[in-house]
Amino acid sequence: MSSIVTFGCKTRPTTARRCADTRPHARSLLLYWLLTSAFVLLGASLPSVAAEKKPASRIDQMLRAISPGDWLELPNTSMTSVFPKNSETTWGAIGPEAVVRAWGGAAYDTKRNAFVFHGGGHTDYGGNEVYAFFLKELAWRRLTDPSPMKKLESGQYVTTDGTPVSAHTYDGLEYLPNVDRIFRNGGSEWYNGSNFDRSAWLFDMDRHIWERKSEGGGGYLASAYDPVRGTIYVVGSKFVDEYDPVRDKWQRRLSRLASFRVDVAAIDPINRQLVTNSFRPGVISYQINPDGSLTNRSLVVTKGATEWDKRMAALEYDPVRKVMVAWDGGRETAYLDVASWTWRRFENKSSKAAPVRKRDADYSASGAIFGRWRYVPDYDVFIGYNAPRRNVWVWKPAAVKDGDTTPPPPPPKPVVKPLLDKLKPGEVLVIPPGTYKEAGVIRASNVRIKADGVRLEGVAVDGKAALVVKGDDVTIEGLECANIRVGDGNGACVRLEGRNLTLRRVHFHDSQSGLLSWNRDSGTVVVENSRFERLGSGGSAHGIYIGRGNTHLVVRRSAFLSSTDQGHEIKSRAAKNTIEHNVIASLDGVDSRLIDLPEGGENVIRRNVLEKGPASSNQDMIGIGLEGHKSLHPLNFTLIEDNIILLERRSRNVLANYRNVPPPKIERNKVIGGERVGGSNTWFPNRAAAGLPPYPKLPKPF
C-alpha cells in the first residue's frame, strides 16, 4: 500500500506538504488497505494509482520485431495438442486432422486475436468442435466438445444438442465484427457429403454457443465480409447471396451463373470489388454497388506475376497497403492490386525461416487453404496455418514497391508442341530431355514417342490435358507429367480420343487425372511399368479413367499410389479389364476405391498388392457393377485371385462390393485385416501375423 502512495508522490516534484495533502485520511487508508487485500485474496486485478505502463510481453515484442518480408514460425503451436481422443468423437477416415486437411476453413477474431477453426465433414471426420489459436498466448484451445449425433430417415445426420453437424467448411467461415460472431454457412456435411442445412450459423466466442439463423446461401462456397455494409457475401457455384447478420436477412444478388467451383473470395472495400478465383487464366470480379447489388460476374485478365491466378490457394485483403495478398502454402506470397489488376510477387528469400510447400507434409489434402490465411491488424501481419501436425506461421507484409523489380524473362520458345505438330504417321519421335511448360495434340497414327527425361507440367491444351491423343496406335514412353489442372476438374496428363494406346515407363503425379479416355471404343489401352501418384479431383477424376465402350484395359507391373480428393486409383467402364502384377495402394491418400468397374465387364484382377489405407474415404476396395442401372456390358465376370490384400482403413473395410452382376470369384488371396475371408483365401488379422513389414511399407507384387 505504502509503495503505491509513495510512488504517487514521486511522480511530481512537489513539496513535502503537498505530498502529505495527497495522502488518504487514516480511516480511508485503512479501508483502502482492507479493500486491496480483499482483491488480492480473491485473485482480482487492482487498478494502480499513477501506474507505470506495463512493458510489452515477450510475444508482443516477438511479433512486432518481424522485418517486412520475413516469416516467423511460432514455436510449439501444433493443433494436435487439443484434439479429442478417438473414444470421444466420431473419427471418420482422417479424424480431427480433417478440420484442417479436408476442405476446412478458418476465421480470425480480431477482438480476441483468435484464429478460429471448424471443419470435418463428409466421411473424413464427424466431430463438430470449435478450435481457436490465441495469438497473444501462442496457445490452442478447444472451445467446444464433439456433439452426439443421430441419423434421420432422409439420410441426414443432425446433432442432438442443436449445434451444426460437422462439414467441410471451405471458405465459408468469417468473423463478423459488427455482431462479434463467427459466421458459418454451407459445406459438405457428415456423412453423405450433401448440404442439407443452409442456415446461417453464428458462434458466440464468449459463451461458446452456436445460434441458428435464417436460411440462404448453402452448398460448396466461398465467402467474404464487407466492412462497408457490415454484410457477408456468399459465392456459390451458380449464385451469389448477401447476408445481413444484424437483421438476419438474406438477399440473392446473382443467380443462374455458369457453374464452377469457387475456392477463395475477398473484398476490396475501397475499389468495391468482390474477387474470387477463376476457371480460366485471370480472376473473377463483381462490382459491389452502393445498394449491395452486384454487377454481373466478369473474367478479368491480370498482369504481372499471372501464375498467381491459379496459385492463390488463399486470398485476403490488406487494409494498410490496400492490396489483396495471396498465399499458396510456401515461402512466396503475392499482392494483387485491384485498381490496376496487377500481381506483384514476393519470393521472401531473405527470411531465415519460411513454410515449405511440400504437399506430403505441409499442404492440405484439399489442395486449397481457404480461410486459413488472415490479416492481423494489431500486429500488421498475416497468419497462416496449413498442416495440423506443424506450427502456425506469421508473415510481415513487405512494402508494396518491393518485390520482383526485374522484368520476367521472355517465355522460352516452344519445343514439344512444334515437334508434335510435325509428327507424321509411322514416325518415331524423340523429345529432347527437359522440363517443359507446354501441351500438345498427337494427331498422327502409328507413332512412337520417346520422352525419357522429359517432364510436362502445369499446362493443358484445349482445357483437357498435357497431351491429347487423337491418333490411333500411339505409344508414349518415359514421360513424366505433373500439376495439370483445368476448370472442370478433369485435367489429365494424357487424354485419349483415339484407339489403341500404350503408356510405358511413364510417371504421372500431382494432377487431377493421370490417363482419361472418352466414352467411345478406345480399342486396347495398355499401361505397363509406370507410376501414378497423388491423382484425383472431387471424385470426378482418377489415376486412370476409361470411358464407356468396347475397350480392353491392360494394366501391369505398375504402381498406383495415394489418390487424393476421393478419386479412385483405377476407374474403368471398359468391356474388359486385365489388372496384373501391380501395386495399387491408398497409403495416406484420401482416395475412394482402389478399383472401380461400374459397368461390370470381363475382369481379371490377379497377383497384385492391394492396400486400402487408413484415410480412405470409401469402405469399398473394389466396386463392380455399382452404376449398372445406366449400362451393363453383355458379359460380366470378375476373377480376383492370388493377390496380397491389406484392409487398413480405420473403420469398416469391404473387399469387393458388387451389384447387378454375378458375385466375383475371390480365390487364393492373402488377406490381411478386415473381416475373416474363407474359401481358398488365407486370412491374417494384421501385418505381423502375415509376416509383412509395418505400415506404410508394401510388399512387392508377384
Side-chain angles (χ1 to χ4, degrees), residues 397-446:
V400 175
K401 65 180 180 180
D402 295 337
D404 291 351
T405 56
T406 57
K413 292 183 179 180
V415 174
V416 177
K417 185 178 183 301
L419 291 174
L420 295 178
D421 290 344
K422 296 177 182 178
L423 189 60
K424 296 179 180 179
E427 287 187 341
V428 175
L429 169 63
V430 179
I431 300 177
T435 297
Y436 303 99
K437 295 184 182 297
E438 293 184 50
V441 179
I442 302 172
R443 294 181 174 85
S445 295
N446 190 28

Side-chain angles (χ1 to χ4, degrees), residues 281-357:
V283 298
I284 294 292
S285 74
Y286 308 80
Q287 180 70 43
I288 304 175
N289 301 315
D291 63 353
S293 62
L294 302 176
T295 301
N296 240 342
R297 183 166 72 189
S298 60
L299 175 67
V300 177
V301 178
T302 58
K303 296 174 287 185
T306 54
E307 76 274 11
W308 272 93
D309 287 346
K310 293 301 179 185
R311 292 177 60 184
M312 57 172 189
L315 189 68
E316 177 79 339
Y317 184 71
D318 181 340
V320 174
R321 293 148 199 89
K322 298 178 175 54
V323 292
M324 292 187 175
V325 184
W327 181 51
D328 73 339
R331 174 183 293 272
E332 285 194 2
T333 50
Y335 287 169
L336 176 61
D337 182 350
V338 172
S340 62
W341 296 113
T342 301
W343 285 100
R344 183 175 290 277
R345 179 168 141 261
F346 296 88
E347 295 181 297
N348 306 311
K349 289 183 177 179
S350 62
S351 187
K352 295 179 181 178
V356 178
R357 189 181 181 274

Side-chain angles (χ1 to χ4, degrees), residues 77-84 96-97 131 140 385 387-390:
T77 54
S78 168
M79 188 182 187
T80 57
S81 61
V82 291
F83 282 161
E97 289 190 24
Y131 298 87
W140 283 96
Y385 197 55
R389 294 185 178 276
R390 293 176 179 258

Side-chain angles (χ1 to χ4, degrees), residues 155-170:
Q156 177 186 4
Y157 282 81
V158 296
T159 63
T160 59
D161 59 5
T163 57
V165 72
S166 69
H168 298 341
T169 46
Y170 303 104

Side-chain angles (χ1 to χ4, degrees), residues 439-441 443 459-466 468 470 486 488 495 497:
V441 179
R443 294 181 174 85
V459 179
V461 64
D462 297 336
K464 295 178 181 180
V468 176
K470 294 182 178 290
V486 299
D488 66 3
R495 178 80 166 256
E497 297 181 358

Side-chain angles (χ1 to χ4, degrees), residues 399-574:
V400 175
K401 65 180 180 180
D402 295 337
D404 291 351
T405 56
T406 57
K413 292 183 179 180
V415 174
V416 177
K417 185 178 183 301
L419 291 174
L420 295 178
D421 290 344
K422 296 177 182 178
L423 189 60
K424 296 179 180 179
E427 287 187 341
V428 175
L429 169 63
V430 179
I431 300 177
T435 297
Y436 303 99
K437 295 184 182 297
E438 293 184 50
V441 179
I442 302 172
R443 294 181 174 85
S445 295
N446 190 28
V447 295
R448 182 183 178 191
I449 298 173
K450 303 178 74 172
D452 291 282
V454 174
R455 174 181 167 120
L456 300 180
E457 64 177 23
V459 179
V461 64
D462 297 336
K464 295 178 181 180
L467 294 177
V468 176
V469 180
K470 294 182 178 290
D472 299 335
D473 302 300
V474 173
T475 297
I476 301 173
E477 299 176 340
L479 176 68
E480 181 186 358
C481 172
N483 303 318
I484 306 300
R485 288 174 172 79
V486 299
D488 66 3
N490 286 304
C493 286
V494 171
R495 178 80 166 256
L496 175 60
E497 297 181 358
R499 298 182 77 255
N500 303 328
L501 172 70
T502 298
L503 298 179
R504 186 175 295 126
R505 293 184 290 100
V506 301
H507 182 197
F508 295 167
H509 59 95
D510 298 296
S511 299
Q512 290 170 326
S513 186
L515 166 64
L516 173 67
S517 81
W518 57 3
N519 287 317
R520 299 185 189 179
D521 179 8
S522 297
T524 300
V525 179
V526 178
V527 178
E528 58 186 11
N529 301 314
S530 296
R531 192 175 182 90
F532 291 64
E533 295 181 272
R534 298 181 298 279
L535 300 160
S537 173
S540 62
H542 316 281
I544 287 180
Y545 176 86
I546 301 297
R548 205 170 280 123
N550 187 27
T551 303
H552 182 192
L553 172 65
V554 180
V555 182
R556 54 190 174 223
R557 297 186 301 278
S558 297
F560 295 79
L561 306 173
S562 303
S563 284
T564 65
D565 209 2
Q566 302 182 42
H568 305 308
E569 273 72 17
I570 299 173
K571 181 168 184 173
S572 175
R573 301 180 185 275

